[in-house]
């Protein structure tokens, strides 16, 4: 007899796991389903489910009547008796049930129960908490979990069947369509297609919110949706991931079953399903809104998994733990944070031996503090958590120390604040060390790796009673302890791009000394599952080529490396250069994105520039080109503060014509299509309509990933696809971008801990210089920690500063070296103090002293003045651009990445013997590096440009139609025609140049701009 490999075999395998047997086995043994359901021995060998029979399903009311009535009769007989005197008591209950479920959905009835006349029915006994009474535990056991195969669900077409439905007390929770790869069908295509086109969603069972979730499942993958909407039905993957990508892992050697075993072995168990209903599923929307307009949330697998693992770990290990959750953009972090926060306030210790607990009967944490740098998320999380909780008013925002203190005193369980406000909240908080906290940090980066985080720890730590006669030494030790991660708080850091310090501070240390995230949902999996788009799929890089020339006779010496860097910055930020790039940007954006009506005509772009000054120059250049084109759309700029450019002071609000706080909202409007930025909005800015980015800025590491990820937000309703996403990069080679993305594509780990011994070396060097006496450091700390007035502290700092500036007669390089090492000491100690396993008192004292001394140490860098002089010694004679990579897909490394720790070595002002090159040599090497538009020597290139310029000027239409033409638009048209004529005549002599001109739009635009300038100037 052959093996069964069809859908029936998969059904039977799931049924056997859930119930301990299956229909096929029952028939073979000549048993009945009812007899099996009464046999507790069989029932308990599975996951505690009963076998349901299709004949007991009432399609009109979408309930399994057998288990619905048996549950009520067994558990709430007295309530039933209140109605049983009426002849139609069953129909009355069913009609009332039908009315309420149509209005509120099954989730509401499971949580709130059903009231009919004077009877109140509990329809689901919730799973017990660790502190629950025996009665609550016994009640949960009274629930009837059941599964029914081949369920005939349709009132209109009684022959239509759904493969499997899971019920609780007769109420449908999960429907499933099952497919088997061995029959040539799968869940992703055929299962979803069946739900979309062959299942009638007007039937009660499949109406929105009448069941909790609908699964399409095969032996390898699972997909789910909470709303069947015909062809518009949107399915989400519910898979564990495989090698950090989509799908599910292979089973361990020797194991039997399918890759999707986890569904019936783990997710659909009675305890798990009850937990999902109680703590995860959420119906979002205003109470007054019709149910069809609401959204029903069911967790994706990784969201459910991370929250459960956090809760399990906390209940066993107690307070004082750290958790790094590396979840990519598109992972649904706000929901994961919501679910974690809500469940952490109800987490109990497993026993009396758990560290940091007060009582086994009390929750582990008094309060959960959610710290986020996304202001929009602040309200979103508050609303989400509020919709979960049966107990109202347990959530509060806190934007000041008074609000936080008041919230804690009022018994608020979840307190939400922003990273921007957190340092202010710390001041003035009363003694909190008797409280136990879980601190959830959203997008944990440097704002939580330094002083802001130290303030948080200090606030959560023991506060000294001023009446105690504690000396300054004790208080300094206390400040050190409080900057450590306190035993009364657990920290959960959510980020897509963990830096080495974040891994070390929050990650899980392995036996080999490395650090890994507590939980991972990778960028690779998010891209493959379609939650974010691959921003590196269409990456175009342009290489600038330009030539500079000396404008002075003499040949001064300059530091070669610094000069090259300074020259490139000068050229790239020159208005002439920016004008060229602005034209290239709009020559792509208008025809390729605007005119092609990408994203249903709503597509937007971001221009990323090197500095605020560059952003302003770009804005002006783009506006100028748009003016010539009749202003087809508006653009907006974003930067902080004010900036003076060419003697005029600008602000974001002044340029845009509306308040800075409105920029994000205005940019969402259809009229505004391009946003110009320097640093603002490169992180934490979600705008799904962004599909193009024009980069003219050095991007590397975490910033590169965060900035380019502004494009990856999916916009399903606008039909946004990977091929719609486009990056044009003027600055960064594709290899550099790949290097930045690789560590965060799959799993990121830290190879080893940071070596803090460098602090010993730095302190020794700083001590030897003689800027401060150690007694001054001691005095400063004693006064500082006794809250002495600033006027008392100032003379100590001023004495050390005076030595630095005058008394020690230090050379400029010695001064720079001291200041660099002092800043390095403060940075490293400030980041590492919270995770040091030991305490060195003198490090702490020097840290506080240097923090106040550093701002008082002026240094002079003569190289800066020299380099400024360099810029006045050169002219930009030629600028152009050549496309290096066109719509290249940057392939990322799918292997796990180990990043190196900061392991710093002492830095200083003394380089490795810097090269001092004459200006001629610098200019020649600069031109050789950057002027590579086509295969010709620099002299040849110069000759070609001059020759082209003279040919253009000799053209019969040049003076009449171009030079003396004051209509800018007609003038450009005339010049284009002249250029085409000249290039056509030159093609035989200059074949390479003509080929570039004819085939490469970008090169043609750049050459056009260069020739126009040279023809106008050289007369």
């Amino acid at each position: 007899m052959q093996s069964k490999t069809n859908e029936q075999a998969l059904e039977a395998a799931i049924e056997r796991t859930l119930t301990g047997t299956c229909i096929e086995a029952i028939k073979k043994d000549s048993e009945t389903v009812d007899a099996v359901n009464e046999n507790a021995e069989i029932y308990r060998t599975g996951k505690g489910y009963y076998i349901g029979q299709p004949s007991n399903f009432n399609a009109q009311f979408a309930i399994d009547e057998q288990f619905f009535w048996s549950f009520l009769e067994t558990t709430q007989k007295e309530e039933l008796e209140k109605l049983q005197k009426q002849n139609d008591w069953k129909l009355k209950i069913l009609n009332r049930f039908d009315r309420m479920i149509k209005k509120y959905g099954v989730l509401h009835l499971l949580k709130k129960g059903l009231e009919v006349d004077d009877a109140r029915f509990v329809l689901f006994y919730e799973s017990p908490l660790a502190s629950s009474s025996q009665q609550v535990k016994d009640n949960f056991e009274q629930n009837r979990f059941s599964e029914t195969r081949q369920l005939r669900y349709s009132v209109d077409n009684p022959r239509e069947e759904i493969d499997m439905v899971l019920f609780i007390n007769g109420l449908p929770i999960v429907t499933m369509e099952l497919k088997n790869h061995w029959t040539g069908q799968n869940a992703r295509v055929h299962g979803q297609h069946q739900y979309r086109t062959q299942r009638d969603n007007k039937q009660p069972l499949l109406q929105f919110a009448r069941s909790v979730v609908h699964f399409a499942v095969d032996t390898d993958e699972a997909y789910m949706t909470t709303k069947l909407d015909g062809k518009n039905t949107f399915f989400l993957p519910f898979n564990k991931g495989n090698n950090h990508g989509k799908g599910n892992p292979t089973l361990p050697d020797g194991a039997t079953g399918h890759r999707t075993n986890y569904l019936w072995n783990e997710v659909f168990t009675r305890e798990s399903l009850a937990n999902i209903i109680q703590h995860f599923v959420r119906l979002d929307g205003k109470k007054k809104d019709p149910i069809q307009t609401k959204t029903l949330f069911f967790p994706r697998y990784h969201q459910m998994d991370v929250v459960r693992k956090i809760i399990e770990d906390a209940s066993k290990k107690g307070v004082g733990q750290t958790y790094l959750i590396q979840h990519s953009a598109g992972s649904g972090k706000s929901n994961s944070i919501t679910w974690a926060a809500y469940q952490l306030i109800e987490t109990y210790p497993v026993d009396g031996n758990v560290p940091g607990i007060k009582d086994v009967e009390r929750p582990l944490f008094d309060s959960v503090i959610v710290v986020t740098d996304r202001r929009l998320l602040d309200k979103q999380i508050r609303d989400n958590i509020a919709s979960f909780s049966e107990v109202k008013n347990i959530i509060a925002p806190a934007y000041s120390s008074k609000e936080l203190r008041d919230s804690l005193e009022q018994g608020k369980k979840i307190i939400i604040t922003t990273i921007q406000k957190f340092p202010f909240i710390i001041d003035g908080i009363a003694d909190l060390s008797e409280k136990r906290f879980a601190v959830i940090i959203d997008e944990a980066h440097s704002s939580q790796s330094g002083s802001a985080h130290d303030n948080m720890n200090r606030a959560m730590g023991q506060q000294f009673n001023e009446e105690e006669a504690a000396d300054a030494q004790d208080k300094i030790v206390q400040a050190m302890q409080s900057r450590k991660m306190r035993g009364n708080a657990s920290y959960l850091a959510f980020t897509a791009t963990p830096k080495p310090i974040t891994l070390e501070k929050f990650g899980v240390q392995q036996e080999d000394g490395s650090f890994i995230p507590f939980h991972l949902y990778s960028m690779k999996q998010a891209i493959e599952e379609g939650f974010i788009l691959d921003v590196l799929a269409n990456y175009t890089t342009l290489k600038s080529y330009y030539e500079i020339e000396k404008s002075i006779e003499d040949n001064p010496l300059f530091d070669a490396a610094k000069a090259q860097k300074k020259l490139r910055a000068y050229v790239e930020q020159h208005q002439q250069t920016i004008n060229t790039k602005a034209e290239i940007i709009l020559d792509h954006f208008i025809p390729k994105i605007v005119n092609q009506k990408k994203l249903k005509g709503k597509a937007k772009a971001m221009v990323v520039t090197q500095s605020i000054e560059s952003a302003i120059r770009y804005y002006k250049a783009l506006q100028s080109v748009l003016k010539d084109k009749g202003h087809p759309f508006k653009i907006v700029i974003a930067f902080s503060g004010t900036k003076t450019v060419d003697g005029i002071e600008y602000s974001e609000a002044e340029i845009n014509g509306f308040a800075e706080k409105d920029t994000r909202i205005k940019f969402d409007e259809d009229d505004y299509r391009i946003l110009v930025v320097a640093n603002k909005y490169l992180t934490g800015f979600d705008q799904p309509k962004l599909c193009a980015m024009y980069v003219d800025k050095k991007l590397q590491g975490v910033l590169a990933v965060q900035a380019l990820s502004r494009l990856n937000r999916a916009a399903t309703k606008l039909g946004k696809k990977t091929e719609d996403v486009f990056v044009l990069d003027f600055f960064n080679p594709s290899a550099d971008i790949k290097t930045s993305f690789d560590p965060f594509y799959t799993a990121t780990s830290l190879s080893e801990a940071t070596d803090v011994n460098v602090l010993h070396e730095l302190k020794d060097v700083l001590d030897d210089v003689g800027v401060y006496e150690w007694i001054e450091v001691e005095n400063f700390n004693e006064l500082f920690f006794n809250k002495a007035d600033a006027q008392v502290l100032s003379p100590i700092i001023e004495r050390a500063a005076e030595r630095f500036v005058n008394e020690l007669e230090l050379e400029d390089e010695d001064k720079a070296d001291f200041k660099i090492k002092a800043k390095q000491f403060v940075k490293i100690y400030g980041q590492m103090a919270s995770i040091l396993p030991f305490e060195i008192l003198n490090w702490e004292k020097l840290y506080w002293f240097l923090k106040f001394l550093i701002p008082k140490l002026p240094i002079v860098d003569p190289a800066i003045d020299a380099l400024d002089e360099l810029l006045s010694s050169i002219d930009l004679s030629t600028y152009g651009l050549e496309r290096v990579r066109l719509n290249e897909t940057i392939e990322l490394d799918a292997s796990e990445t180990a990043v190196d720790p900061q392991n710093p070595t002492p830095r200083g002002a003394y380089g490795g013997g810097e090269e001092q090159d004459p200006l001629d040599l610098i200019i020649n090497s600069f031109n050789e590096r950057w002027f590579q538009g086509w295969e010709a020597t620099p002299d040849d290139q110069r000759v070609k440009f001059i020759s082209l310029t003279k040919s253009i000027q000799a053209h019969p239409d040049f003076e009449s139609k171009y030079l003396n033409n004051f209509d800018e638009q007609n003038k450009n048209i005339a010049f284009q025609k002249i250029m085409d004529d000249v290039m056509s005549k030159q093609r035989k002599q200059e074949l390479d140049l003509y080929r570039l001109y004819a085939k490469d739009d970008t090169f043609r635009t750049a050459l056009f701009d260069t020739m126009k300038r040279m023809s106008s100037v050289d007369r």
Side-chain angles (χ1 to χ4, degrees):
M1 185 176 173
Q2 293 178 323
S3 298
K4 289 189 176 179
T5 57
N6 55 11
E7 280 112 39
Q8 184 184 342
L10 183 56
E11 281 178 31
I14 297 171
E15 186 173 54
R16 187 181 290 278
T17 301
L18 295 177
T19 68
T21 186
C22 64
I23 295 291
E24 288 79 1
I26 292 170
K27 286 179 180 176
K28 185 179 178 183
D29 296 339
S30 301
E31 294 269 8
T32 66
V33 172
D34 289 337
V36 169
N37 282 337
E38 290 172 12
N39 187 338
E41 289 182 13
I42 294 176
Y43 168 75
R44 290 301 178 192
T45 60
K47 301 295 183 185
Y49 275 70
Y50 292 100
I51 295 179
Q53 300 174 77
S55 58
N56 292 328
F57 182 71
N58 184 325
Q60 180 185 347
F61 295 104
I63 64 167
D64 185 314
E65 290 205 69
Q66 178 190 2
F67 294 114
F68 182 76
W69 295 120
S70 66
F71 171 72
L72 293 181
E73 285 162 3
T74 305
T75 61
Q76 296 158 81
K77 192 172 182 181
E78 290 180 6
E79 295 299 308
L80 270 181
E81 286 173 350
K82 294 178 182 178
L83 303 173
Q84 282 174 333
K85 297 167 188 173
Q86 303 175 34
N87 292 331
D88 59 348
W89 64 275
K90 277 193 173 182
L91 186 60
K92 184 164 193 170
I93 292 173
L94 290 176
N95 281 331
R96 173 70 176 162
F97 167 84
D98 192 53
R99 185 180 169 202
M100 295 305 287
I101 202 169
K102 283 176 177 172
K103 187 174 183 180
Y104 296 113
V106 69
L107 186 65
H108 176 89
L109 292 176
L110 289 168
K111 291 189 171 187
K112 302 286 189 182
L114 178 69
E115 293 178 340
V116 186
D117 294 348
D118 60 339
R120 185 183 184 282
F121 300 106
V122 175
L123 299 183
F124 168 60
Y125 287 119
E126 294 191 340
S127 58
L129 298 169
S131 61
S132 298
S133 66
Q134 189 59 44
Q135 182 63 54
V136 173
K137 294 173 183 174
D138 292 342
N139 281 346
F140 180 72
E141 293 301 321
Q142 297 292 323
N143 289 316
R144 267 86 162 153
F145 288 75
S146 65
E147 59 75 33
T148 304
R149 291 167 59 183
Q150 297 304 313
L151 185 84
R152 295 187 173 182
Y153 71 96
S154 176
V155 176
D156 300 328
N157 187 355
R159 295 179 66 82
E160 278 194 13
E161 296 175 340
I162 283 191
D163 289 337
M164 185 174 280
V165 181
L166 308 185
F167 296 86
I168 298 178
N169 303 326
L171 306 187
I173 307 299
V174 180
T175 76
M176 282 189 279
E177 286 292 354
L178 305 174
K179 299 296 167 193
N180 197 320
H181 275 283
W182 287 351
T183 62
Q185 295 198 321
N186 61 53
R188 188 174 63 83
V189 177
H190 304 93
Q192 292 184 30
H193 177 76
Q194 204 161 21
Y195 268 124
R196 287 190 178 107
T197 64
Q198 297 169 17
R199 295 292 174 258
D200 183 0
N201 60 22
K202 296 183 178 65
Q203 298 304 314
L205 176 67
L206 302 185
Q207 288 172 5
F208 177 62
R210 194 105 189 203
S211 302
V212 173
V213 66
H214 309 280
F215 271 91
V217 182
D218 61 35
T219 51
D220 290 348
E221 294 187 322
Y223 295 86
M224 57 95 172
T225 185
T226 57
K227 186 172 189 176
L228 294 174
D229 190 21
K231 292 182 179 179
N232 296 321
T233 303
F234 184 68
F235 280 89
L236 298 168
F238 192 83
N239 299 312
K240 299 175 83 167
N242 186 21
N243 291 324
H244 307 305
K246 66 179 181 179
N248 287 300
T250 55
L251 297 180
D253 289 344
T256 58
H258 304 294
R259 292 188 185 216
T260 42
N261 275 356
Y262 61 94
L263 274 179
W264 39 97
N265 285 324
E266 174 193 335
V267 180
F268 294 154
T269 64
R270 296 184 314 146
E271 294 76 15
S272 170
L273 204 52
N275 170 266
I276 289 170
I277 290 167
Q278 287 168 235
H279 299 302
F280 285 98
V281 182
R282 189 177 82 246
L283 187 62
D284 266 15
K286 295 178 182 175
K287 285 186 177 180
K288 295 178 182 178
D289 292 344
I291 195 164
Q292 285 294 332
T293 65
K294 297 183 180 182
T295 304
L296 187 60
F297 284 95
F298 191 92
R300 286 150 60 189
Y301 182 85
H302 69 272
Q303 293 172 318
M304 178 193 74
D305 190 55
V306 70
V307 173
R308 285 182 171 176
K309 283 179 175 167
I310 288 168
I311 302 305
E312 180 186 15
D313 195 80
S315 66
K316 290 177 181 175
K317 295 182 182 174
V319 186
Q321 306 304 312
T322 58
Y323 303 91
L324 175 61
I325 294 94
Q326 184 181 348
H327 279 196
S328 165
S331 68
K333 279 198 290 289
S334 63
N335 277 327
S336 299
I337 290 169
T338 297
W339 286 318
Y342 174 63
Q343 293 183 45
L344 280 167
I345 61 175
E346 292 188 347
T347 299
Y348 288 79
V350 290
D351 55 44
N353 298 319
V354 172
I357 68 166
K358 300 175 185 175
D359 187 340
V360 187
E361 301 296 318
R362 290 179 60 182
L364 206 53
F365 301 105
D366 296 298
S367 296
V368 175
I369 298 175
V370 180
V371 186
T372 174
D373 61 0
R374 291 185 276 180
R375 291 186 177 92
L376 293 176
L377 190 62
D378 177 8
K379 184 176 186 304
Q380 186 181 344
I381 292 177
R382 284 213 309 276
D383 293 346
N384 288 353
I385 295 172
S387 71
F388 262 115
S389 181
E390 298 299 308
V391 182
K392 299 304 172 190
N393 301 316
I394 64 165
I395 306 138
Y399 299 126
S400 68
S401 56
K402 182 179 185 303
E403 285 180 2
L404 183 56
R405 189 171 61 250
D406 291 348
S407 295
L408 291 168
E409 288 170 358
Q410 292 163 19
K412 302 294 185 184
K413 292 294 184 185
I414 297 172
I415 297 158
I416 300 178
T417 189
T418 59
I419 286 170
Q420 293 89 344
K421 297 288 183 184
F422 203 88
F424 305 106
I425 291 171
I426 299 312
D427 300 331
I429 293 182
D431 188 341
L432 301 173
S433 58
E434 290 304 310
K435 297 278 188 183
R436 301 287 177 264
F437 297 96
V439 182
I440 300 177
I441 304 157
D442 173 40
E443 286 298 344
H445 293 301
S446 53
S447 56
Q448 285 303 318
S449 299
S451 298
H453 200 203
D454 301 340
N455 289 339
M456 182 192 302
N457 283 311
R458 203 166 298 113
M460 298 305 161
Q462 172 74 37
Q463 301 294 320
F464 269 90
N465 185 336
E466 290 297 324
E467 295 174 6
E468 293 175 6
D471 62 19
Q473 189 97 325
D474 293 331
K475 292 182 181 179
I476 293 167
V477 171
Q478 181 50 42
M480 291 173 64
Q481 301 252 356
S482 68
R483 201 184 306 110
K484 290 183 176 294
M485 290 192 169
R486 299 298 301 156
N488 69 328
S490 287
Y491 294 80
L492 298 87
F494 282 78
T495 180
T497 49
K499 295 178 179 178
I501 187 65
T502 312
L503 276 159
E504 191 167 350
K505 186 169 272 195
F506 298 102
V508 181
Q509 188 162 17
Q510 305 299 288
E511 289 183 3
D512 63 359
S514 63
F515 293 83
I516 63 170
F518 177 79
H519 198 271
L520 172 71
Y521 177 76
S522 71
M523 182 193 300
K524 180 185 177 188
Q525 187 172 351
I527 289 170
E528 290 184 0
E529 291 187 339
F531 289 106
I532 59 173
L533 303 176
D534 184 359
V535 299
L536 304 185
N538 298 302
Y539 208 94
T540 296
T541 52
L542 295 180
K543 184 171 183 180
S544 302
Y545 63 91
Y546 25 70
E547 188 168 20
I548 56 175
E549 56 189 24
K550 278 201 310 181
S551 59
I552 58 172
E553 288 299 319
D554 56 347
N555 230 7
L557 291 174
F558 298 105
D559 174 352
K562 289 181 181 177
Q564 293 278 340
K565 189 174 179 182
K566 189 92 172 180
L567 284 171
R568 187 178 183 198
Y570 163 75
V571 172
E572 295 291 4
Q573 295 187 67
H574 197 284
Q575 188 68 54
Q576 167 186 329
T577 306
I578 287 172
N579 291 345
T580 301
K581 288 187 272 198
E583 288 185 21
I584 288 170
I585 287 169
L586 291 172
D587 281 347
H588 174 268
F589 185 69
I590 292 173
K592 302 291 187 187
I593 293 176
V594 176
N595 293 349
Q596 290 186 16
K597 300 196 181 302
K598 291 278 178 85
L599 274 54
K600 298 184 179 178
K602 297 179 184 293
K604 298 180 185 290
M606 180 183 276
V607 177
V608 181
T609 70
Q610 295 176 50
S611 62
I612 295 175
E613 179 180 337
S614 286
I616 293 167
R617 292 190 185 281
Y618 257 105
Y619 180 88
K620 287 178 157 187
L622 290 166
Q623 284 285 43
S624 174
V625 178
L626 286 172
K627 181 182 177 184
D628 293 342
K629 296 179 183 294
H631 289 298
F633 53 80
K634 297 178 183 176
I635 64 173
V636 66
I637 191 171
F639 62 92
S640 300
T642 59
K643 182 69 177 176
T644 301
V645 178
D646 298 335
I648 302 170
E649 186 176 85
Y650 296 94
S651 69
E652 177 183 321
E654 184 186 3
I655 295 175
N656 289 331
F658 46 76
E660 188 175 336
K661 65 181 177 62
D662 295 334
T663 300
R664 183 189 296 260
I665 300 163
K666 282 284 189 182
F667 185 56
D668 192 49
E669 295 176 3
D670 290 347
D671 288 351
Y672 291 90
R673 303 297 287 273
I674 293 179
L675 172 64
V676 184
V677 302
N679 291 309
K680 200 173 180 181
Y681 291 143
L682 286 188
T683 62
F685 175 56
D686 283 350
Q687 172 48 269
K689 297 172 194 171
L690 274 176
C691 73
M693 184 177 282
Y694 303 95
V695 179
D696 194 14
K697 179 188 187 75
K698 179 66 180 173
L699 293 178
Q700 60 188 6
V702 170
L703 180 62
V705 179
Q706 290 183 324
L708 292 168
S709 293
R710 296 312 98 211
L711 295 180
N712 70 16
R713 300 313 191 255
T716 310
K717 291 181 180 176
L718 297 176
K720 187 177 179 183
K721 303 181 291 294
T722 297
E723 51 265 37
D724 294 324
V725 175
F726 175 84
V727 180
L728 181 63
D729 197 329
F730 294 100
F731 209 97
N732 306 282
S734 55
D736 290 359
I737 298 299
K738 172 179 163 55
T739 301
S740 295
F741 268 78
D742 270 338
F744 309 112
Y745 185 52
T746 54
T748 314
S749 63
L750 182 68
S751 59
E752 59 181 317
T754 302
D755 181 7
V756 296
N757 285 306
V758 68
L759 293 170
H760 285 301
E761 299 173 48
L762 287 168
K763 180 178 177 300
D764 288 347
V765 173
L766 293 170
D767 289 352
D768 287 346
V769 175
V771 170
Y772 52 80
E773 301 289 343
W774 192 253
I775 189 67
E776 293 169 346
V777 177
E778 297 271 9
N779 290 343
F780 178 87
N781 276 268
E782 185 170 349
L783 291 167
F784 177 68
F785 284 100
N786 277 304
K787 299 183 179 176
D789 190 273
Q791 295 180 70
V792 179
L793 296 172
S794 186
I796 301 174
I797 297 297
E798 292 298 341
R799 262 199 306 278
E802 179 60 24
R803 282 192 207 105
F804 177 87
V805 175
N806 295 316
E807 291 177 18
L808 293 175
E809 297 182 351
L810 297 172
E811 298 290 334
D812 287 340
E813 280 194 337
D814 294 330
K815 289 179 180 178
D817 191 66
F818 180 89
K819 187 168 184 178
I820 288 169
K821 286 185 167 66
K823 290 171 87 170
Q824 193 183 13
F825 183 93
V826 168
K827 179 183 178 183
I828 296 168
Y829 184 75
Q831 289 185 329
M832 299 308 301
S834 59
I835 51 176
L836 284 176
F838 49 82
E839 295 165 359
I840 296 180
L841 194 57
N842 285 349
W843 284 0
E844 179 77 13
K845 292 176 180 177
L846 185 58
Y847 168 82
W848 288 106
F849 184 80
L850 291 177
K851 276 195 74 142
F852 288 86
L853 176 62
I854 287 168
K856 296 283 188 178
L857 306 180
I859 60 169
V860 177
D861 184 356
I864 292 175
D865 293 335
L867 288 172
D868 286 340
E869 187 185 318
L870 164 73
L871 295 187
S872 64
S873 306
I874 56 100
D875 289 326
L876 175 63
S877 61
T878 304
Y879 180 83
L881 288 159
E882 179 192 14
R883 186 182 289 132
V884 179
R885 296 280 187 275
L886 172 62
N887 289 22
E888 175 190 21
T889 297
I890 300 176
E891 297 289 348
L892 297 179
D893 184 355
S895 59
E896 296 186 19
T897 305
V899 295
D900 292 326
Q902 300 195 87
N903 275 344
T905 52
R907 289 189 291 115
Y910 303 104
E914 293 149 342
E915 284 183 78
Q916 295 283 314
D917 285 352
L919 180 59
D920 261 346
L921 188 58
I922 288 173
I923 286 181
N924 289 339
S925 64
F926 184 76
N927 288 339
E928 185 179 333
R929 181 178 177 188
W930 294 108
F931 192 74
Q932 295 175 352
W934 63 87
E935 294 179 4
T937 65
D939 286 342
D940 287 344
Q941 290 163 359
R942 183 191 294 271
V943 169
K944 291 178 197 298
F945 272 129
I946 293 169
S947 172
L948 282 173
T949 303
K950 289 182 176 176
S951 297
I952 288 167
Q953 291 170 340
H955 194 279
D957 292 340
F958 180 74
E959 287 202 16
S960 60
K961 293 186 177 179
Y962 174 70
L963 204 59
N964 300 325
N965 191 340
F966 299 103
D967 184 319
E968 195 63 34
Q969 191 171 356
N970 288 334
K971 190 173 183 176
N972 284 336
I973 293 170
F975 194 83
Q976 183 68 65
K977 187 176 182 304
I978 294 167
M979 268 283 291
D980 290 345
D981 284 352
V982 169
M983 291 303 296
S984 180
K985 289 173 184 173
Q986 295 265 342
R987 70 174 180 270
K988 287 185 180 177
Q989 302 99 298
E990 304 292 349
L991 190 58
D992 288 344
L993 178 59
Y994 181 75
R995 191 180 293 120
L996 276 170
Y997 180 80
K999 292 184 177 179
D1000 193 322
D1001 292 343
T1002 307
F1003 183 89
R1004 183 165 60 250
T1005 302
L1007 188 65
F1008 176 87
D1009 187 73
T1010 303
M1011 289 295 97
K1012 196 165 71 167
R1013 284 196 302 274
M1014 289 185 68
S1015 302
S1016 302
V1017 170
D1018 191 23
R1019 298 250 337 138

